[in-house]
Amino acid sequence: SAAPINERLDEEEPYNPEVMRAQGALIIARDGIQQTAKALELLTGTRVRTRRDRAQLHLFAGTFYLGIGDRAGAAEEFRRGVEADSGNVLIMMKLARTLYDLAVVAFRGSEASYRAYLDECRSVTRQILRYDRDNEEGIALIEAVASVFKVDV
């Protein structure tokens, strides 16, 4: 059982986002995917000491949301992560990719909401490339946006 390890980690590092993510993952592994809400509650209820840790918690929560297929929930968590740490390119990439996926789904479903997702995706991608002009994932995303939506980033 992982319970003794969890208890010790929680006592030694109660504000560590990695510990909370691990505990969330253990909850899901032990109790099944239907317990994702419990794992997310653990993450979102965690108090953190630094902006970097807060950003990391939002990254983990967004990843959990992606794991259950909730792209809108994931995008919201990634947005919060970027707000907490505006220079975190990894979280920006997760946000941009999630927004792109939401835009594609809405576009294919002929929903007007695709435009808002697309505009935000383009904005975040531009921000990524300001930090890292050679970011391969960012460049691939620009190419995908141009190919699918016939617009420039």
Side-chain angles (χ1 to χ4, degrees):
S1 170
I5 295 170
N6 272 345
E7 289 171 13
R8 193 175 84 233
L9 283 173
D10 199 33
E11 287 173 11
E12 292 175 12
E13 299 194 51
Y15 304 109
N16 186 322
E18 287 285 346
V19 171
M20 295 301 107
R21 183 200 55 80
Q23 287 182 353
L26 286 171
I27 288 169
I28 292 171
R30 182 188 65 214
D31 301 333
I33 195 73
Q34 63 276 11
Q35 292 301 315
T36 299
K38 185 176 177 182
L40 284 167
E41 187 177 302
L42 177 69
L43 284 172
T44 57
T46 300
R47 292 178 297 149
V48 293
R49 294 182 178 157
T50 68
R51 294 176 68 77
R52 182 183 175 279
D53 286 350
R54 177 160 316 288
Q56 201 170 13
L57 271 176
H58 290 298
L59 172 64
F60 295 149
T63 303
F64 274 97
Y65 276 113
L66 285 178
I68 60 170
D70 183 351
R71 288 186 184 116
E76 184 56 33
E77 289 297 332
F78 295 145
R79 279 185 199 102
R80 290 178 181 163
V82 170
E83 286 173 13
D85 184 357
S86 61
N88 190 316
V89 174
L90 174 62
I91 299 175
M92 283 188 258
M93 279 307 312
K94 292 283 192 179
L95 175 58
R97 175 57 64 182
T98 302
L99 291 166
Y100 171 78
D101 291 343
L102 285 165
V104 168
V105 168
F107 183 72
R108 290 187 177 146
S110 299
E111 299 172 31
S113 63
Y114 89 89
R115 179 51 95 184
Y117 294 128
L118 179 61
D119 289 346
E120 187 178 1
C121 173
R122 292 166 67 195
S123 173
V124 173
T125 304
R126 282 192 297 268
Q127 187 177 358
I128 291 163
L129 293 174
R130 276 195 293 274
Y131 281 101
D132 180 7
R133 296 187 66 73
D134 299 323
N135 185 294
E136 290 180 20
E137 224 176 310
I139 293 167
L141 192 54
I142 286 173
E143 292 168 356
V145 165
S147 173
V148 172
F149 298 102
K150 310 297 184 226
V151 296
D152 291 327
V153 175

